[in-house]
């Protein structure tokens, strides 16, 4: 087996363990390349099916193509698609783009808080109705206890210390110093009531692996990752006010791979276009300890 | 780094050793000197150090967490990546502090090779030994020992020779022969990626070159098939009628048409298809692959069973195991407490039956008089599972010879199986014997009771697959016997407790219920009654449990439909019970022939 087959096999194993042990399971789909690979791996694991819902936290500031792409494949692949958002903050314009608060607080409100309350079922969930193509508002959902996330160890320091199965307490807090042991593919699948577990099937993948796999499997990814003649493209996707394009002329997957392998990005941090990282001295740790993905 | 690296293999290595001996610095150096750091990273850390008026250290690259920077130690294993001209590496930097031993083990258990770092100035310390021993237990055989901080000792050869001689002796005792022993200074970069002018007396490879000499463990394709069943999928709602048995092939290979046996149940079937998504059709799958197969016979399978090929050496099965175990739990491991064992994909209640010896891994002294296993102990002991499990000796197939123990929701211990044990009394037997010892016998003997009630007492167990009308048979039988003046009772155990489709929790509950059934049955039959009950999906071992607890009283087994029990354990086989009265006649005939229903008065 080559390195992509090894990575794929490990991720599939983790996804199947998650599905076997958690009743309230959900997968976060940010529409980015990593969680799209994760979604593809789920289809691999379950022989073409995705037997749990996908959750997208919609900050309202996502780039339009991302939402369009999400809905296209949610319909095509018959996904149980849920959107969650911080309705209150958006309606009262408590956001960074509206000029009321800083970037970190905006991330906390629109992403962390929205995620936390959507997972717990306290806030409404918007569920894709495959008949109408619209999202219906559902109140009072059951809490999700297993959350599958596409975090990779090479993204930044704190993520490199994650477990494949990582428990969070009631308030989504992460106790970094006291994590459960993981050995021989035995993970933490037993958990006390009130806690939930984050599951990280992509932990061992690098950015390059992700693109190599996209290439091998011909996985459709959102167009924003490629240059359309302006000499700029996105390397990492997020909200438009806080995500910068990078100088690049990579027009397709193969060119992106070439650029990562030996070209201009071989030595530049992937999240260098993400402004919130720079404001948090601990390399996202402040955000992550309280539940940021 | 412009070479084409596609298709290059990937290897995980772990860096371990005593706290403060410089593990993170070694890794930081490796990353920096192989040019594997993103540009932003080095600048970011240097800037942070400057801001906080701290000298730059390579370790800060890894100890990215705030806690670690302020305490200056590694708390959890961090992963990072670099590549040589030979392959991609994932480096796991494991913490050396004893408090974080479970983190070290998590890191090391993933690795294919290990780098063990010893401080030249401090020499061999407690965790240098403990980590060395754990490597041996974890099955890691490719080891490079670094004697670090040689710069602090004037790069003197005799310092290096002294430490390596002592440590080599220690490793030999635990069965490890280090492939390389390398004098380095990670801070100065000596012998990490480039050689060292300061140590001309050393002629061996640098760390990077040493790593490149390690080999990937060959994928165990040539061993017998072990496919632990992870789950059974049927996505009927999505219009998919395949019943797919999913799991990862740990060893060996499997082909369409192979006859397979599932252990511990012993059921047999044949591989009909090998399934996959977005792959060309396949007729063979092999070790390392997460696959899915369909079978020609629709037999009932529980997750945790191991699929083996009928023509190859099968896995062992049993309930008692001799193991080497290390304990990480906050509370000690004690006898007579119920824990959970996870062995491949099986999950089963387990008890500590006997502590043979406890080893202090920091100096290899043993203690044969301990009753329990304390945190950070390594023990040779005997464990007993509630149900039989399929396994191998770790020396034969490591993948199916290792397990973890769960205590209070946490993985608290890990171990390897050295041998099966067959001589010890099982827990359930002990339980029954203990009960019998305490039993105050009545003066009315079974014979006297039999004469009074005009019957001999027995348990009538009606079993077979779910939904075959067993309960109707049981209830009707009770009515018929009752109408004829027999002393009879139908025990309606909740179907939800004895259902067929089960997760781990339900499986545990089922075992509890079957134990209770054995105990209840013992009471009723002792009182002279004919007790009738139904159990779906009863297997040989479960029947044995009920019989043991019901002992010395009798038990008759009636199976309806497909037989899940071995043939010699079934007293009466009914293919179906659509003809209820016909079934009654057969059961009553059995009861009469075996003289449970006595047709005459004494």
């Amino acid at each position: 087996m080559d390195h992509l087959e090894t990575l794929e096999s490990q991720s599939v194993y983790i996804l199947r363990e998650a599905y076997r042990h958690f009743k309230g399971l959900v997968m976060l789909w940010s529409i980015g390349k990593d969680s799209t690979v994760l979604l593809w791996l789920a289809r691999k694991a379950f022989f073409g099916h995705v037997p749990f819902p996908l959750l997208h936290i919609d900050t309202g500031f996502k780039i339009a193509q991302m939402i369009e792409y999400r809905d296209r494949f949610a319909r095509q692949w018959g996904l149980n698609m849920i959107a969650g958002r911080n309705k209150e903050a958006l309606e009262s314009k408590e956001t960074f783009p509206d000029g009321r608060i800083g970037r970190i607080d905006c991330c906390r409100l629109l992403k962390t808080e929205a995620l936390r309350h959507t997972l717990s079922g306290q806030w409404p969930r918007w569920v894709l109705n495959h008949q109408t193509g619209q999202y219906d508002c559902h109140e009072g959902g059951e809490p999700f206890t297993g959350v599958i996330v596409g975090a990779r160890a090479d993204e930044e320091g704190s993520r490199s210390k994650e477990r494949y199965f990582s428990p969070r307490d009631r308030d989504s807090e992460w106790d970094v110093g006291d994590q459960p042991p993981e050995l021989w593919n035995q993970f933490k699948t037993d958990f006390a009531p009130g806690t939930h577990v984050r599951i990280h099937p992509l932990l061992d993948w690098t950015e390059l692996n992700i693109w190599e796999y996209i290439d091998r499997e011909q996985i459709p990814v959102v167009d924003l990752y490629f240059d359309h003649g302006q000499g700029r493209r996105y390397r990492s996707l997020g909200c438009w006010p806080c995500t910068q394009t990078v100088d690049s002329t990579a027009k397709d997957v193969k060119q992106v791979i070439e650029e990562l392998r030996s070209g201009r990005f071989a030595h530049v941090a992937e999240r260098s276009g993400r402004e919130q990282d720079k404001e948090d001295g601990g390399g996202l740790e402040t955000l992550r300890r309280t539940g940021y993905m | 780094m412009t070479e084409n690296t596609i298709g290059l293999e990937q290897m995980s290595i772990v860096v371990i050793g005593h706290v403060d001996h410089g593990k993170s610095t070694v890794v930081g150096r490796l990353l920096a000197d192989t040019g594997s750091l993103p540009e932003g990273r080095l600048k970011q850390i240097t800037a942070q150090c400057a801001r906080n008026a701290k000298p730059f250290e390579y370790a800060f690259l890894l100890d990215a967490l705030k806690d670690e920077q302020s305490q200056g130690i590694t708390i959890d294993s961090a992963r990072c990546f670099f590549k040589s001209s030979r392959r991609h590496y994932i480096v796991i930097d494991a913490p050396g502090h004893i408090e974080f031993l479970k983190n070290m083990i998590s890191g090391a258990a993933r690795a294919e090779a290990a780098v063990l770092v010893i401080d030249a100035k401090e020499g061999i310390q407690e965790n240098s030994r403990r980590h060395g021993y754990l490597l041996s237990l974890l099955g890691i055989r490719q080891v490079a020992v670094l004697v670090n901080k040689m710069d602090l000792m004037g790069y003197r050869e005799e310092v290096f020779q002294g430490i390596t001689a002592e440590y080599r002796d220690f490793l030999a005792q635990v069965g490890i022969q280090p492939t390389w022993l390398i004098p380095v200074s990670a801070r100065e970069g000596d012998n990490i990626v480039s050689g060292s002018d300061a140590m001309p007396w050393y002629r061996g490879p640098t760390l990077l070159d040493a790593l490149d000499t390690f080999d990937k463990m060959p994928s165990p394709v040539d061993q017998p098939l072990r496919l632990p069943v992870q789950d059974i999928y049927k996505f009927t709602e999505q219009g998919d009628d395949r019943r797919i048995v999913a799991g990862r092939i740990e060893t060996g290979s499997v082909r369409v048409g192979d006859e397979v046996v599932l252990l511990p149940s012993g059921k047999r079937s044949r591989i009909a298809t090998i399934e996959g998504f977005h792959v060309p059709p396949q007729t063979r799958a092999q070790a390392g692959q997460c696959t899915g197969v369909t079978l020609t016979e629709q037999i009932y399978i529980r997750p945790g069973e191991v699929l083996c090929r009928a023509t190859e050496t099968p896995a062992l099965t049993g309930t008692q195991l001799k193991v080497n175990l290390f304990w990480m739990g906050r509370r000690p491991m004690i006898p007579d407490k119920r824990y959970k064992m996870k062995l491949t994909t099986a999950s089963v209640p387990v008890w500590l039956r006997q502590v043979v010896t406890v080893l202090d891994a920091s100096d290899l002294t043993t203690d044969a008089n301990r009753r329990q296993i304390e945190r950070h102990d390594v023990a040779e002991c005997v464990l007993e599972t509630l149900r039989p499990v399929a396994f191998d000796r770790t020396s034969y197939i490591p993948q199916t010879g290792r397990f973890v123990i769960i205590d209070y929701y946490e993985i608290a211990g890990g171990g390897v199986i050295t041998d099966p044990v067959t001589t010890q009394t099982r827990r359930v037997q002990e339980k029954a014997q203990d009960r019998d010892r305490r039993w105050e016998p009545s003066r009315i003997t079974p014979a006297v009771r039999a004469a009074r009630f005009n019957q001999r007492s027995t348990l009538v167990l009606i079993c077979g697959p779910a939904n075959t009308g067993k309960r109707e048979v049981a209830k009707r039988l009770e009515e018929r016997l009752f109408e004829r003046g027999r002393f009879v009772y139908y025990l309606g155990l909740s179907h939800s407790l004895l259902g067929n489709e089960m997760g781990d929790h339900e499986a545990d509950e089922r075992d509890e219920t079957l134990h209770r059934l054995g105990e209840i049955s013992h009471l009723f039959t002792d009182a002279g009654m004919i007790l009738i009950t139904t159990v779906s999906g009863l297997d040989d071992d479960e029947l044995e449990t009920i019989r043991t607890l019901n002992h010395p009283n009798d038990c008759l087994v009636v199976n309806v439909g497909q037989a899940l029990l071995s043939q010699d354990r079934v007293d009466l086989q009914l293919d179906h019970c659509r003809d209820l009265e016909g079934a009654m006649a057969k059961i009553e005939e059995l009861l009469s022939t075996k003289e449970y229903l006595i047709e005459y008065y004494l």
Side-chain angles (χ1 to χ4, degrees), chain B residues 15-46:
Chain B
V15 182
I16 53 176
H18 198 72
V19 65
D20 264 348
H21 283 197
K23 296 173 294 297
S24 299
T25 311
V26 167
V27 180
R29 254 302 172 182
L30 261 181
L31 298 187
D33 292 2
T34 52
S36 308
L37 288 170
E39 273 159 21
R41 197 61 167 153
L42 200 52
K43 241 193 296 183
Q44 183 199 351
I45 303 288
T46 325

Side-chain angles (χ1 to χ4, degrees), chain A residues 161 163 175-182, chain B residues 15-17 19-20 23 63 65 67-68 71-78 93-108 127 130-131 134 326-328 330 375-376:
Chain A
K161 310 224 164 184
R163 296 284 195 265
D175 188 350
V176 188
D178 187 24
Q179 299 197 69
E182 261 179 6
Chain B
V15 182
I16 53 176
V19 65
D20 264 348
K23 296 173 294 297
D63 295 344
L65 297 173
D67 271 358
E68 293 175 4
Q71 293 178 27
I73 54 170
T74 307
I75 290 176
D76 196 4
S77 303
D93 175 36
H97 199 276
I98 181 79
E99 276 302 297
F100 308 118
L101 192 69
K102 61 181 179 151
N103 296 344
M104 173 267 167
I105 285 169
S106 304
N127 282 327
R130 184 178 275 117
H131 286 183
L134 287 169
F326 55 88
W327 193 248
M328 300 173 270
R330 286 193 193 90
R375 189 178 200 187
H376 302 150

Side-chain angles (χ1 to χ4, degrees), chain A residues 114-135:
Chain A
L115 176 67
R116 199 160 103 190
H117 292 104
T118 306
L119 289 179
S120 73
Q122 287 161 305
W123 288 3
R125 296 169 182 162
W126 285 265
V127 179
L128 177 64
N129 180 330
H130 282 270
Q131 256 88 56
T132 62
Q134 300 298 308
Y135 282 81

Side-chain angles (χ1 to χ4, degrees), chain B residues 363-376:
Chain B
D363 60 6
L364 295 187
T365 54
T366 57
D367 184 345
N369 298 310
R370 290 263 292 274
R371 291 277 295 142
Q372 59 182 38
I373 306 170
E374 307 287 339
R375 189 178 200 187
H376 302 150

Side-chain angles (χ1 to χ4, degrees), chain B residues 331-332 334-339 350-352 407-408 427:
Chain B
R331 304 164 197 83
I334 54 174
D336 296 320
K337 182 183 168 188
R338 181 187 176 122
Y339 297 92
V350 69
W351 287 265
L352 171 64
D407 183 25
Y408 291 103
R427 276 191 92 250

Side-chain angles (χ1 to χ4, degrees), chain A residues 161 179 185 189-190 267, chain B residues 39 68 76 248 340 342:
Chain A
K161 310 224 164 184
Q179 299 197 69
N185 285 312
T189 51
D190 300 84
H267 299 285
Chain B
E39 273 159 21
E68 293 175 4
D76 196 4
R248 171 158 59 199
K340 184 159 119 178
K342 286 167 80 174

Side-chain angles (χ1 to χ4, degrees), chain A residues 261-278:
Chain A
R261 210 178 276 155
S262 54
R264 49 177 297 112
F265 290 133
H267 299 285
V268 179
E270 176 187 1
R271 292 179 64 94
S272 53
R274 301 288 280 266
E275 297 297 329
Q276 65 268 40
D277 296 25
K278 294 172 191 164

Side-chain angles (χ1 to χ4, degrees), chain B residues 133-146:
Chain B
Y133 184 83
L134 287 169
L135 283 185
S136 128
L137 204 62
L138 291 167
I140 299 168
R141 293 287 178 268
Q142 306 191 95
V143 180
V145 175
L146 300 188

